[in-house]
Structure formats: C-alpha cells, structure tokens
Amino acid sequence: MSNKSGSLSINSENIFPIIKKWLYSDHDIFYRELVSNACDAVTKLKKLEVMGEYSFPEDYKAKVTVELDPETKSASVTDNGIGMTFEEVDEYINQIAFSGAQDFLEKYKDKTSEDQIIGHFGLGFYSAFMVADRVTIDTLSCQEGAKAVHWESDGGTEYEMGDSDRTEVGTTITLYFNEDSVEFSNEYRVKEVLEKYCSFMPTEIYVTVKGKEPEYETIDEADVLDSDTVIEHIVEEAKTEEQENENGEKETVEISPRREKAKILKRPEPVNDTAPLWAKHPNDCTEEEYKDFYRKVFRDYKEPLFWIHLNMDYPFNLKGILYFPKINMEYESIEGTIKLYNNQVFIADNIKEVIPEFLMLLKGVIDCPDLPLNVSRSALQNDGFVKKISDYITKKVADKLTGMCKTDRENYEKYWDDINPFIKFGCLKDDKFCEKMMDYLLFKDLDSKYLTLKDLVPEEEAPEVDVVENPDAETDGEASEEKEPEKTVVFYVTDEVQQSQYINLFKEEGKNAVILKHNIDSPFISHLEMKNEHVKFQRIDADLTEDFVETVSEGELKETAETLTEIFRKALHNDKLDVKVEKIKNENVSSMITLSEESRRMQDMMKMYNMYGMDPNMFGGGGETLVLNANNKLVQYILEHESSEHIDLFCEQLYDLALISYKPLSPEAMTKFIARSNEIMMLLAK
C-alpha cells in the first residue's frame, strides 16, 4: 500500500473552528457520534453476513469497546464491524470533510446558529476534534485481501495515511485529548456520558481502563463458561454442627453442603441494553418489566399510574412508551421528560416539534428512525412530516384515555385526581385532543362521585347536580331577535375548607357542586364554556339563588337594606361597600360575601398577568357584596340597636366572619380580628 499525505487549501482551515463552535452544543456528544458510528459498522457487517457476502469467525461476538488511558490522556473506540479500505478512508474521511470543506463554508458562511449550519455533510467523525488535539484511525476492511490502513491528523490542515498493523476486521479511533477535555479519559465521566447517549444502542458497549487493577468474582464451578478466565478453583467443605434430635440425643447435622467454586476475572458488563423494552411488542411485555424500565430510565421510584406502548410501522416507523407519573401538585414540579431516540441513539429530551406541549408533563421514550434529523442529530427538518408524528402521538394518548374510561371506569376514576391537570392542559392546547376527550372529562362532586359533563348537563332528564337557569339571561322585550340560548349553570367549589359555609347551605337544600381546585381549572372552565355554549360554570359563592332564600314581596326589605347599609358603611369606614339583605333560610348564617363569576374571573386574570392595583370595574366587573341575613338574630340586634356603643364592634366582626368564609384575611385584618374577638369575649365575661 502506498503512503499518502496531503495539505489543504487555506480556505479549508476554517472547518475545524466551525465544527468546534457550531456543530454540537455539548462537547461530550462526540462519544455518541463515534460509538453510534461503530454500532453502524457492526450492523453493516451483519447485513453482509445475512446476504452471504461475509462469514463470521466461529468466536465472533459483535461489540464496541471504549478503552481509556488516563496516563496518556487518550481514549479509543473500537468496533469489530465492516472496516474500511484505503480508498474508503480517502473518500469518507478525507474528501467529504476536507475537500468538501470549501463548499461547506461557502454554503454556510453567513449562518451562525447550529440549527442552520448543520445538515448535509457526514461530519460525525470530526466531532472528535472538538476535544482532541490528535486523532488516529486504524482500520481493516472485511473485503477479501484488504490491507489495514492507518490515518491520523492533528486537526489542522494536514493528514497522513499509510499501513497499519491491525489484524482484526473493524476500526479503532484513538483520541488524544486537549487540556480542556482530559475529563473524557476518566472512567466515571465516560460511563456517565455513555449512559446518557448510548444506553440503548443495538451493539453491546464495554468500557475498559488501561492499567486498572483487575477485579475478580467467585461463582459456582458449574457456571464457569469457556470465555471465563479462571484464577483458581475453590472447594468449600461441608459444614456441620451438633444438634439435639427429638429423642434428646445429640447428632451431627450437615447445615451447608460441599461446594466447588471458581475465582474468575470479573466478567465485563455492557453499559447498554441492546433490546430496550419499547422495541418489543406490547403483548410480550409484563407489568413488572414496564415498571422496572421506568425506574431505570427516569430514576423515579414512585410507581407510574399507567402507560401507553406506542407501536407503529406505517406510514412511519415509531415505537415508544409514555408513562403517566403520580404527580404531587403541591410540592413537585409537574414538568416531565420525554426522551427522543433515533434508531436507539439518544437525540434529546423534550423536543417540542415531536412532542406536543401538553405531553411534556409525562415521562417516556419515543424512538422514530424516520425522523428527518440533520447531521448533528440535534435539529429537525421537514415540518410536515414531524407534525404527522406529533398528531399520531396525541391520538394514541387520547385513544388510551377514552378506552380506559369506557372499559375500566373504576381505575380511570382512581387516576383522575392525578391525571386531570394533564388532560385539561391538553384540552386547552390541542383542539383535536379536546374534541376526543370532551365526553370523558370527569368532575368530582361534593359526595366524591365522578360525573361527566353529560351527567352534569343532561339533554332531557333532570340533572343530578344543581342546574339552574342563568339569572342573567335576557327576558325583557328589548332582547335581540336572536335570543341568547338559555344556559345551564353548574356550580363549583375551589376550596372545600374556605367555602365550607356555602357547601353546607348547598347540602341542606339537597343541591350539589363539583370540585375544581387546580390553577388550571379557571382557564379550563372558560374553555369548556366556549366549546359548550349552553353551559355556564359558577362558583357557589357567586350569588344566592332562590333555593337558599325566602321569597319576599317587592320592597319588603328595602328600608331594612338601606338602614343596614348605612350602619355597616359607617362602621367599616367604607362608603362604597355593597350591602344586600336577604332572608336566608338558615337562620344561623349571619353574613356572607358574594362576588359575581365575571368579576372573579377578571380578578383571576389580573392576578395572572400581575395587573395588581387596577380596578376590576374598568373591565365591567363589580366588587364583593356583603349579604346580611334578615332572619339572623345578630343582624336583627344591629338593626334594633344602631346607637349602641358596641355596634361598630358587631359590624366589623360580622364582616370579617363573612370574609373568612370567603377568602383568607390579610395579616393586618387577621390581627385586628383576633384582638376584636378577645375584646368581645371580655365583654361577655363581665
């Protein structure tokens, strides 16, 4: 074989700064590129063997070995795959990267982001120059009569090629790390990187360390394999002890039999799993395997609620497993992790083009060999194709959930409290998902029963939960010709403790409400109202309906209301206080606070957008209303003793009691409330 060396044109010198700066965002990714190339070489050789163009040696075992040498600050990646000839090295290594560099630079000279600058050249091998000052290749092709080839370059503008002393078919790439990248010759750092990128590559990957003290293990003699290196044979004699039998006589009993063992060099263990669970057919996977895989990949030792196994061959190839984790909404971040693979090679976490946004709450793996990736495998191309993949994943998730609701309602209800934030988020983000899920959305009522929207708003028969005509609906003659459709009101609770007084009123009247206590519920019910024009959601403290108050003649309470309004405004030093007097059926209820649904939602929106200090009335929303019960003796006492020296005390206390059952008091108001309560008890003690 003739030697060959070359120097490059000055324009091509810039290729390595470009590779180092733009090709990959993470320098540790070079291991992914080199190891995956090695696995590809093995796969190609296997295909040749299947086609009858190559025969494996008898002891052939496909593998990739990463050998580290901390002394020389180097590492090598060796495969026993297809190998390369002199001409192939010249073509694939020299010409594509070096001779094609000028075209590469011309095409991308104005680009600055890695998403733009990568995409069309086989530069995976050259990722090595991000971390190495010098790189060598020793390779022997599987072709009959081929000679081994040596190639090396210092990453500058020159390379050298010649004969190699390699005798085994395959390739070894050796990197001599620069001072900033010495960490990549450390065993623990390398295993960490390989675990990140190569955990499921299709060829077994081993890590060895040059000069490392050998490790041993002891096994039963019967388990020794031909490939084991036996250090010594060990015989453990039987162990006996004296024991007393049933007759009280002592006898010698064998408690441990004689054993023959062998001390061997510790068997090498691959750092990867070549047959990941997602690659199997769902029917071949057990529940325990799914759980073990979840624990291994996500290091989450809380069991997932359930999972979806994706398995599609047409019109594109996609496999994967999506897990629904148990989420603690109060203490944990609800962001999940979806790991994307391409032919078992890790690409990235949570690629938003493939994974719909609302699925980011889940944990899972997706392997799609058909993904249109650029050469660095860090960005996607062909938006239309990727959109089809995303739509398919969304459809499979919806099918799983609706199917569970239909065939396994008991478990669906059991999981609902954990999965409902995810489903509601999906409905807000994806119209098709929302359409599929609409009839399978559940609402937990005050008796902890789960109802669907159809249960809440039945089309013909009377509903099981409270449903009233919308009091705001137009009834006068000035209504437009196209009258607004009559709406069914569904009452809801956001805090069972805070709103307990209102809940008790509902239960006393045999009425029901649903519990919506997550932050996402506010935009979610607005979304449902938009999708279902005949439905209106209203919090139970938004107003007092006719079910809770006695019917009175017009004007009966007018004078009482005017008097109490004046008394309370004066006592509370609030001229704008809105006071309403009703005859509430429950005489024990003295005062309540109501706030219209529209005003509350406006306030929620203002909080969401940090619009503190703005007046809700600017947007048509009113303030809180103090409702006083004319049937209550405390209210009657205030009305009859408006000149009493303690009347302000009573008014302030009744107002705060109403406020406490509506929302938490501010620190200042709570301090005054406690002091005032003590003062009232002192008056009672006299």
Side-chain angles (χ1 to χ4, degrees):
M1 182 191 301
S2 61
N3 291 347
K4 181 172 182 178
S5 61
S7 61
L8 309 167
S9 66
I10 192 166
N11 291 337
S12 300
E13 291 181 14
N14 293 326
I15 190 168
F16 289 107
I18 287 172
I19 290 172
K20 291 177 181 180
K21 182 174 182 182
W22 285 323
L23 185 57
Y24 301 98
S25 55
D26 299 317
H27 281 192
D28 63 3
I29 214 166
F30 78 92
Y31 267 125
R32 182 191 75 177
E33 294 302 301
L34 298 183
V35 172
S36 62
N37 284 348
C39 291
D40 288 343
V42 170
T43 302
K44 289 174 184 176
L45 189 61
K46 287 181 177 179
K47 287 184 178 178
L48 289 180
E49 198 268 342
V50 170
M51 293 187 293
E53 296 182 17
Y54 181 77
S55 297
F56 288 133
E58 287 186 12
D59 59 346
Y60 180 81
K61 179 185 177 184
K63 64 178 179 178
V64 174
T65 303
V66 178
E67 184 178 38
L68 309 174
D69 189 347
E71 285 294 319
T72 60
K73 301 174 185 176
S74 65
S76 63
V77 178
T78 300
D79 67 71
N80 53 358
I82 195 168
M84 290 182 284
T85 63
F86 186 92
E87 291 74 23
E88 286 170 337
V89 173
D90 191 31
E91 179 181 355
Y92 300 145
I93 302 299
N94 297 336
Q95 294 179 24
I96 289 181
F98 284 131
S99 301
Q102 190 167 347
D103 295 335
F104 176 86
L105 291 170
E106 185 65 27
K107 187 157 191 173
Y108 294 108
K109 63 183 179 183
D110 297 325
K111 310 295 184 181
T112 55
S113 78
E114 65 256 30
D115 285 344
Q116 296 169 312
I117 205 162
I118 322 157
H120 305 286
F121 297 92
L123 294 172
F125 161 72
Y126 279 92
S127 62
F129 286 99
M130 293 190 299
V131 295
D133 289 329
R134 175 170 165 252
V135 178
T136 68
I137 301 174
D138 287 281
T139 182
L140 176 60
S141 172
C142 65
Q143 294 180 20
E144 190 173 344
K147 293 183 178 180
V149 183
H150 176 80
W151 178 99
E152 69 176 77
S153 173
D154 63 358
T157 60
E158 297 182 352
Y159 66 88
E160 290 186 0
M161 289 177 63
D163 293 337
S164 170
D165 57 3
R166 184 181 179 91
T167 57
E168 182 184 358
V169 171
T171 301
T172 296
I173 298 173
T174 305
L175 290 72
Y176 297 88
F177 295 113
N178 56 43
E179 288 302 319
D180 294 334
S181 306
V182 175
E183 62 179 297
F184 296 118
S185 62
N186 177 276
E187 178 183 8
Y188 300 102
R189 178 72 173 105
V190 171
K191 284 185 175 179
E192 178 185 53
V193 174
L194 294 177
E195 183 179 359
K196 176 182 177 182
Y197 293 113
C198 310
S199 285
F200 301 104
M201 285 190 183
T203 303
E204 290 186 353
I205 303 163
Y206 296 89
V207 176
T208 62
V209 182
K210 197 170 182 180
K212 184 179 179 181
E213 288 292 323
E215 295 181 6
Y216 306 99
E217 61 181 316
T218 302
I219 61 174
D220 287 336
E221 188 75 44
D223 295 332
V224 174
L225 305 175
D226 292 339
S227 56
D228 289 329
T229 302
V230 179
I231 306 301
E232 65 174 309
H233 297 280
I234 303 169
V235 176
E236 292 183 355
E237 297 296 342
K239 293 181 180 179
T240 60
E241 67 176 28
E242 278 194 350
Q243 293 182 358
E244 195 172 280
N245 62 22
E246 296 176 355
N247 301 323
E249 301 170 342
K250 289 188 177 182
E251 61 181 12
T252 302
V253 178
E254 184 177 275
I255 59 171
S256 178
R258 182 179 185 274
R259 289 179 180 171
E260 294 183 357
K261 294 190 173 184
K263 180 181 179 182
I264 63 171
L265 276 178
K266 189 173 181 180
R267 292 171 182 169
E269 294 180 2
V271 296
N272 60 324
D273 178 359
T274 59
L277 195 64
W278 73 73
K280 298 180 181 179
H281 192 278
N283 294 343
D284 298 330
C285 304
T286 66
E287 180 178 335
E288 196 53 42
E289 284 178 326
Y290 282 118
K291 291 178 180 178
D292 285 344
F293 184 79
Y294 177 79
R295 286 190 286 265
K296 175 184 175 183
V297 174
F298 302 105
R299 302 187 186 283
D300 185 350
Y301 293 92
K302 295 189 295 294
E303 286 193 357
L305 299 171
F306 57 94
W307 47 86
I308 301 171
H309 196 141
L310 306 170
N311 191 0
M312 185 178 188
D313 296 318
Y314 181 83
F316 46 81
N317 189 349
L318 183 146
K319 291 178 171 58
I321 306 171
L322 296 178
Y323 290 92
F324 287 72
K326 187 173 179 61
I327 298 170
N328 185 328
M329 294 291 291
E330 188 172 355
Y331 300 111
E332 296 178 3
S333 165
I334 60 172
E335 183 177 353
T337 303
I338 307 288
K339 294 182 174 294
L340 183 65
Y341 290 80
N342 179 253
N343 272 326
Q344 298 177 219
V345 179
F346 176 71
I347 304 303
D349 289 330
N350 301 341
I351 292 187
K352 62 181 183 298
E353 293 91 346
V354 178
I355 316 298
E357 184 181 359
F358 70 94
L359 289 180
M360 297 297 188
L361 301 178
L362 305 185
K363 293 183 179 181
V365 293
I366 291 176
D367 190 344
C368 185
D370 298 333
L371 274 179
L373 294 168
N374 57 21
V375 74
S376 77
R377 295 184 276 202
S378 62
L380 293 166
Q381 301 164 334
N382 189 341
D383 290 342
F385 183 79
V386 173
K387 179 69 167 59
K388 289 180 182 178
I389 296 174
S390 178
D391 289 345
Y392 166 76
I393 295 171
T394 301
K395 179 182 180 299
K396 294 302 290 184
V397 171
D399 289 347
K400 171 71 175 183
L401 293 169
T402 57
M404 182 183 292
C405 187
K406 291 175 186 175
T407 62
D408 192 6
R409 178 67 178 255
E410 183 179 349
N411 272 325
Y412 189 68
E413 290 183 1
K414 183 174 76 174
Y415 299 143
W416 181 255
D417 288 351
D418 286 293
I419 66 175
N420 81 80
F422 151 77
I423 293 176
K424 291 170 182 175
F425 186 43
C427 288
L428 290 172
K429 289 293 182 180
D430 191 303
D431 282 340
K432 287 184 179 179
F433 181 78
C434 184
E435 187 178 329
K436 285 180 174 291
M437 292 302 305
M438 188 62 70
D439 292 339
Y440 306 97
L441 299 169
L442 298 186
F443 300 85
K444 185 160 73 170
D445 70 3
L446 297 178
D447 296 321
S448 296
K449 292 180 181 177
Y450 290 90
L451 309 170
T452 65
L453 198 58
K454 284 186 176 179
D455 295 329
L456 293 169
V457 190
E459 295 177 3
E460 297 180 0
E461 69 266 14
E464 294 179 14
V465 299
D466 55 278
V467 178
V468 299
E469 290 184 4
N470 183 7
D472 299 329
E474 292 187 65
T475 55
D476 56 50
E478 297 179 3
S480 60
E481 291 185 11
E482 290 188 14
K483 187 177 179 181
E484 183 180 340
E486 190 174 283
K487 294 188 177 182
T488 299
V489 178
V490 177
F491 288 94
Y492 68 93
V493 175
T494 58
D495 188 323
E496 293 161 273
V497 175
Q498 196 78 54
Q499 294 148 24
S500 59
Q501 178 172 253
Y502 304 88
I503 292 173
N504 290 336
L505 286 177
F506 264 60
K507 288 185 174 181
E508 286 171 6
E509 295 301 318
K511 294 176 69 64
N512 204 351
V514 296
I515 300 167
L516 300 172
K517 57 185 179 182
H518 292 304
N519 291 336
I520 199 170
D521 284 323
S522 181
F524 176 66
I525 59 176
S526 296
H527 188 73
L528 282 183
E529 289 170 340
M530 184 178 68
K531 295 284 185 182
N532 303 272
E533 295 182 353
H534 60 292
V535 176
K536 175 181 172 64
F537 282 85
Q538 181 170 303
R539 208 167 91 170
I540 61 173
D541 55 0
D543 196 8
L544 284 172
T545 66
E546 58 187 22
D547 299 284
F548 306 109
V549 298
E550 296 176 7
T551 303
V552 295
S553 59
E554 188 177 350
E556 180 180 338
L557 296 175
K558 184 179 180 182
E559 185 179 341
T560 301
E562 289 175 352
T563 303
L564 287 172
T565 298
E566 184 180 348
I567 293 171
F568 272 82
R569 284 181 175 178
K570 181 180 176 182
L572 299 172
H573 308 290
N574 183 355
D575 292 337
K576 294 182 179 180
L577 180 67
D578 190 6
V579 180
K580 185 177 181 181
V581 178
E582 297 276 11
K583 284 193 172 182
I584 300 173
K585 292 178 181 178
N586 187 333
E587 296 178 1
N588 294 322
V589 176
S590 57
S591 55
M592 302 177 72
I593 295 288
T594 61
L595 176 67
S596 73
E597 187 67 20
E598 292 74 17
S599 297
R600 175 179 294 104
R601 294 196 196 182
M602 185 57 65
Q603 289 183 11
D604 288 344
M605 186 190 75
M606 290 167 67
K607 289 176 184 176
M608 185 182 301
Y609 293 103
N610 295 319
M611 299 164 64
Y612 295 101
M614 295 187 69
D615 185 358
N617 291 298
M618 292 172 58
F619 304 96
E624 298 161 353
T625 298
L626 174 64
V627 180
L628 298 171
N629 185 5
N631 287 333
N632 181 261
K633 292 182 179 180
L634 286 173
V635 175
Q636 293 170 1
Y637 177 87
I638 292 172
L639 192 63
E640 295 166 4
H641 300 81
E642 58 180 299
S643 300
S644 169
E645 62 175 312
H646 300 303
I647 204 69
D648 287 358
L649 203 67
F650 274 93
C651 291
E652 290 172 345
Q653 194 73 356
L654 283 186
Y655 180 75
D656 278 357
L657 286 171
L659 210 57
I660 284 173
S661 65
Y662 169 72
K663 66 180 182 181
L665 293 179
S666 67
E668 182 183 0
M670 178 58 77
T671 301
K672 290 181 178 179
F673 176 75
I674 293 171
R676 191 187 316 116
S677 298
N678 285 327
E679 186 179 349
I680 291 171
M681 286 190 288
M682 287 298 295
L683 290 172
L684 291 172
K686 289 182 180 178

